[in-house]
Amino acid sequence: MKAPPMNPHLDTLARRALAHGSTPAQAYTLLARRTGRPLHAARAVCLALGIPLAEATRRLNDCHRALLARPRAGSEADTGELLEALGVFDVPATLTPTEQTVVELLLTAVDAMGGIRAGHQHGLARWFTTGNLTTAYLSLTAARPLPRTGDPARYWTTLVTVGELLTTTPDPDPRIKPALTHCRAQAAPHTPPRALEVDPADAPRTSRPSGRST
């Protein structure tokens, strides 16, 4: 599907609607009803939110046939809510290097689950996009790897590392520490015990020969 031509008028209307407190779904509904062109309306809302054109086009391509290709009169509000629920209007966050590392580790944990529900996977994708990494982490700490296909050791140790990173961020969510404690407890049975290291000062002393014959 080709991207629709730019329409500065629609983009301006979308920005005004958002500035006056409309949600993205409500702004879409307003524009779609006014123009009868749902694809143009959705793209205008994306651009007004600051979503790059290439990313907006990709997202709209994914849902064009199901939601936008054959619009029905009176369905604009429902379509707007669906577009919002699908994450079409999610504004990408700019992640710090630490946050990027967290995302990579969370993806490692997802891989170690051995399978994930479609709804959970969709939620994680949205949280990664918007930078809501604490929610993503907590959702995984409340889950568990599948018995046959998962890798519990990798799953829980990875989530321990993520929790430790999240506690170092400014104003960490108070829910992280209890979740981290839970992950450590789950990881403990899968963590090989460290070799005992004997401090030289605590080593047993052996008696030295006095050098005198008896």
Side-chain angles (χ1 to χ4, degrees), residues 79-142:
T79 300
E81 293 294 339
L82 280 171
L83 291 171
E84 194 161 55
L86 289 171
V88 171
F89 300 137
D90 286 350
V91 179
T94 301
L95 302 181
T96 66
T98 297
E99 289 170 334
Q100 291 172 353
T101 300
V102 166
V103 170
E104 292 171 1
L105 288 168
L106 290 176
L107 289 172
T108 298
V110 170
D111 182 66
M113 286 184 78
I116 186 171
R117 292 180 294 104
H120 193 182
Q121 188 171 31
H122 174 66
L124 287 169
R126 294 192 64 187
W127 294 324
F128 294 161
T129 297
T130 57
N132 197 350
L133 304 185
T134 293
T135 300
Y137 173 68
L138 293 174
S139 77
L140 289 173
T141 63

Side-chain angles (χ1 to χ4, degrees), residues 60-202:
L60 294 171
N61 281 342
D62 289 343
C63 63
H64 176 259
R65 180 172 296 180
L67 295 177
L68 304 173
R70 296 182 179 87
R72 292 183 296 105
S75 65
E76 295 88 356
D78 290 339
T79 300
E81 293 294 339
L82 280 171
L83 291 171
E84 194 161 55
L86 289 171
V88 171
F89 300 137
D90 286 350
V91 179
T94 301
L95 302 181
T96 66
T98 297
E99 289 170 334
Q100 291 172 353
T101 300
V102 166
V103 170
E104 292 171 1
L105 288 168
L106 290 176
L107 289 172
T108 298
V110 170
D111 182 66
M113 286 184 78
I116 186 171
R117 292 180 294 104
H120 193 182
Q121 188 171 31
H122 174 66
L124 287 169
R126 294 192 64 187
W127 294 324
F128 294 161
T129 297
T130 57
N132 197 350
L133 304 185
T134 293
T135 300
Y137 173 68
L138 293 174
S139 77
L140 289 173
T141 63
R144 60 181 56 252
L146 296 181
R148 293 185 179 180
T149 56
D151 184 342
R154 187 159 64 105
Y155 184 76
W156 293 114
T157 55
T158 299
L159 291 183
V160 167
T161 303
V162 173
E164 291 170 346
L165 283 173
L166 289 175
T167 58
T168 66
T169 59
D171 300 318
D173 191 301
R175 296 173 295 174
I176 293 174
K177 284 189 176 181
L180 175 56
T181 299
H182 168 71
C183 293
R184 284 173 173 157
Q186 295 297 319
H190 307 287
T191 304
R194 295 180 179 178
L196 294 177
E197 297 180 358
V198 179
D199 190 303
D202 297 329

